[in-house]
Amino acid sequence: MRTVESIHIDPVHARDPKNLSIDASALRALAQAAVTVELFTIPLYMVPMYSIQGMHPINASEQTFYKGRRWPGSAPTHAPESANERAFNIIFSVFVQEMLHLQLAANLATSMGVTPTFTSSILQTEDDGWKCFGPDNTVIPHIIDLRDTTTHASAKVVLGPLSAAQIELFLAVEAPENQARQRIDPQKLDKYFPAVPFAGWTPDQTEADLPMFGTIGYMYECMVHYMTMRYRDGTTLWQHVYTPSSVQRELFNTPTGGHPMPEYPGISAVLPTIGAEEALGAAVDIISAITDQGEGRTITPPLRAVLLGHREALASLANEVATDYRSSEKGLTLDYPSYDDDGKLLPSADAKARFDNDRKDHYARFLEIREELLPHLVTWDAWHASRGATPWTTRDLTIGDTDEASDKVPRAADVAAALNRLKARNADGSVRRQLSQVAAGAIAGVTRALDGYWKDPNVGFPYPSMVGSGDRVSICWAVLGEAPDLALGTEQPRQGALYHACQGLDLAHPGSGEMPAITTYHTCKGSNACKAQGGCGFVQSVAGGGSCRGGGGGGATSCGTTIKSQASCGHRGMLYSAPTDNKCGALGGCAVPISASQLYPSSGEMALFDIGPDAEPRSIGTMPFAYGDPVYDVAWRAYCEVLRARGETPPSAPPPADDLRVAFPPST
């Protein structure tokens, strides 16, 4: 029987070149597996993170739209005092680094000739349901079946409130090598920690055929050993798979108008194209950054020896992340400013949450929550249990006694009433189902876009979808005290159907007042599936390009093409796409449905189109919009202009705002 002490990987120095196609297949499967594992962690950490009860302001530079108002959901805090604030900051710091790891893993994959998929059947169903999570699930994809452990045999891979069981699941995912090996039942050890090359591997096998690795670190260790595998002719496997013309993406360190500084200046996140040897060094450094941030000093000595061949020694203290692999406090402060209710600059909450925690590896951060904070946490399910059937009050949504927000947004009392009505309507589970599909759809907006992002350098990254996904998860917790069921997936669009982006804006049925179909709900123009589905206040150029972040992404200008970015960069005279009236997919605004609190942050001119299900959109003129205009009001005006251009009589007035639109916070 295999023992823990016997587990190791011997470097391969004189492999027969006839095995090249077999080895390349195994390495490429590993590359996709790394993407899958990193993607798996994002909802795993996001859903419990937003279960932490809390409120947050929505402020912007020189803007007072939401003065005195708070919105449901926790957010990073610059001066965390309570257990809730500290725990949220810690998990947020891990969550962001997992997005960094996903980018790094995807760049590794393309450098080896793999076009990474972010909709893997190992994680998701065809309708965007996350089948890897559920009350009967025990498998951490590619890593371990928890039933094979002596410490987590009864644990489930499920999304729920931040609890002792959820923290133990986090620790199982991020387990350091020495602890992970000891936790596996000795009778089951043969299933894990495979030797390199993999026994019985064939060229036609894929990610689904990989052995289980036992830990994330060991998976990357196998990858490094395959990359550095040497053949009798003197070549390495890396020299054969390396693809210098691959699409490489950099989201964290590229300066743009809205993101002026690198976040991780010590990490080179893209692989150089000057030569295979230089690229191998960069690839190994990327793997070193991932494993050091996640598992820290306790990654295995053999892997450390390989890493140190290309890199200076990592941090000397246990659980300390090497300085080069930590975030930059200055960079985060400038990239993610915070503002008070009067639109004046505050110390950055994001910088505090991330920089202060990034010195520890993920495992140590989760231990801190378990050992110091867990007994003192209040999660949304507990908050709801203590508040009864109508938990929300006006005071919950305001700072002090006065609601000072713009008179163009619903009053705090109206928002509280809408939140309470949504909870009351959930007796049959219908509201949870709706909010679950909304959350799954928001995440699908990210994963679908990413499938194209590493294929086509002209595809922009859906920044607001990342933030918006959190908003959608958070609102489910806040409304119901329950996690969204991401396994439900979302509705799929019908071929040839002309959808609409918000309540009462259906061109086929004027005056119906209906909300849009769930399939159209999304949080970024990058996940706008089709015409007439553009939403909120980050208005986009009618010609496309740019990103809602205000710069960056494929094809973007240095300052982006949104109203938000153009206002900050001083550009004027651009024609923008009207909400619900965008002429094609990936054009138009962001969040659908439009929050009743969404206001425009600048002024401009919109192009209008008559849109049908089959015909090309027909230009019918332009329409102005102004700073502080409610986005829904502008959408209604555009809708009425289109009906008039068709010779139809518009409805006399828009419908009263649906409770969901009142409850949803504005996009930020």
Side-chain angles (χ1 to χ4, degrees), residues 28-30 32-37 117 120-122 142 201 205-211:
R28 287 171 173 145
L30 272 166
Q32 175 57 54
V35 172
T36 297
V37 169
T117 179
S120 169
S121 60
I122 289 175
H142 294 302
W201 192 266
Q205 290 184 298
T206 67
E207 174 196 14
D209 302 302
L210 286 169

Side-chain angles (χ1 to χ4, degrees), residues 351-599:
K352 179 71 174 180
R354 293 172 56 187
F355 179 77
D356 280 11
N357 290 298
D358 281 357
R359 66 182 180 84
K360 291 184 179 180
D361 64 51
H362 296 178
Y363 188 81
R365 292 180 226 181
F366 291 141
L367 278 179
E368 181 181 343
I369 294 176
R370 188 183 75 178
E371 302 302 326
E372 298 181 24
L373 305 177
L374 196 57
H376 311 290
L377 289 176
V378 177
T379 50
W380 280 111
D381 53 322
W383 184 86
H384 273 264
S386 70
R387 288 290 192 105
T390 55
W392 287 99
T393 69
T394 302
R395 287 296 301 272
D396 295 322
L397 300 167
T398 57
I399 301 170
D401 298 322
T402 307
D403 185 353
E404 300 180 78
S406 166
D407 59 7
K408 296 180 180 179
V409 304
R411 297 295 85 199
D414 297 328
V415 177
L419 290 165
N420 287 331
R421 286 193 296 269
L422 286 168
K423 180 175 182 177
R425 280 169 36 199
N426 191 50
D428 60 356
S430 60
V431 175
R432 185 182 182 226
R433 180 176 182 82
Q434 180 185 27
L435 292 176
S436 295
Q437 290 186 313
V438 167
I443 297 171
V446 179
T447 55
R448 291 175 192 163
L450 291 181
D451 273 347
Y453 186 66
W454 265 273
K455 287 180 185 175
D456 182 353
N458 293 311
V459 173
F461 184 78
Y463 290 102
S465 279
M466 301 301 293
V467 177
S469 297
D471 287 345
R472 298 305 197 238
V473 168
S474 182
I475 201 68
C476 187
W477 278 115
V479 169
L480 304 175
E482 297 180 70
D485 183 358
L486 299 184
L488 289 177
T490 190
E491 294 178 4
Q492 300 302 297
R494 301 189 313 274
Q495 282 294 108
L498 179 65
Y499 291 102
H500 59 290
C502 203
Q503 182 184 11
L505 303 180
D506 187 352
L507 288 168
H509 303 94
S512 67
E514 291 184 358
M515 288 285 282
I518 292 290
T519 187
T520 68
Y521 284 38
H522 62 273
T523 54
C524 180
K525 68 117 178 181
S527 47
N528 251 357
C530 198
K531 56 192 173 185
Q533 294 180 27
C536 78
F538 295 152
V539 136
Q540 303 284 335
S541 162
V542 73
S547 72
C548 301
R549 181 179 182 172
T557 64
S558 61
C559 62
T561 56
T562 69
I563 263 290
K564 186 177 182 181
S565 62
Q566 292 294 331
S568 65
C569 293
H571 292 212
R572 294 294 184 269
M574 183 177 289
L575 270 182
Y576 295 95
S577 186
T580 80
D581 197 41
N582 56 298
K583 63 182 180 178
C584 193
L587 302 179
C590 303
V592 170
I594 300 168
S595 166
S597 297
Q598 193 80 50
L599 306 179

